[in-house]
């Protein structure tokens, strides 16, 4: 049994580990890309509820487009005096 363990340990090298890791990387990115909107949706619901309860006059709405959350505010830009830097 000790000889089997020793041969199994010899087969696992840093190079093989790196190749296996790089092989799984595209799969992980695809899963992340597909799952991100689904995983973000509960957080958006919580944020919408919190914004509706506390910041209703400041935030007009909270929108989700795929994995991006956007806060639409009711803030208006202030006109700058001549020579002012924004």
């Amino acid at each position: 049994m000790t000889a089997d363990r020793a041969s199994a340990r010899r087969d696992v090298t840093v190079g093989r580990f790196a190749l296996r890791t790089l092989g799984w990387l595209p799969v992980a990115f695809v899963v992340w890309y597909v799952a991100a909107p689904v995983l973000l949706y509960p957080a958006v619901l919580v944020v919408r509820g919190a914004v509706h309860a506390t910041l209703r006059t400041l935030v007009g709405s909270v929108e989700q487009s795929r994995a991006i959350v956007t806060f639409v505010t009711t803030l208006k830009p202030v006109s700058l005096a001549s020579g002012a830097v924004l």
Side-chain angles (χ1 to χ4, degrees), residues 10-84:
R10 273 186 258 130
D11 291 340
V12 179
T13 62
V14 175
R16 284 188 184 209
F17 172 76
L19 284 176
R20 291 178 80 188
T21 303
L22 289 175
W24 278 103
L25 192 60
V27 175
F29 278 132
V30 167
V31 169
W32 175 45
Y33 182 80
V34 171
V38 175
L39 296 174
L40 186 62
Y41 185 70
V44 171
L45 289 178
V46 170
V47 168
R48 282 182 182 154
V51 165
H52 182 69
T54 59
L55 302 170
R56 188 181 298 176
T57 58
L58 183 62
V59 179
S61 67
V62 179
E63 301 171 353
Q64 179 184 3
S65 175
R66 297 187 187 200
I68 298 174
V69 178
T70 305
F71 292 86
V72 180
T73 66
T74 57
L75 299 174
K76 305 262 189 283
V78 178
S79 62
L80 296 175
S82 64

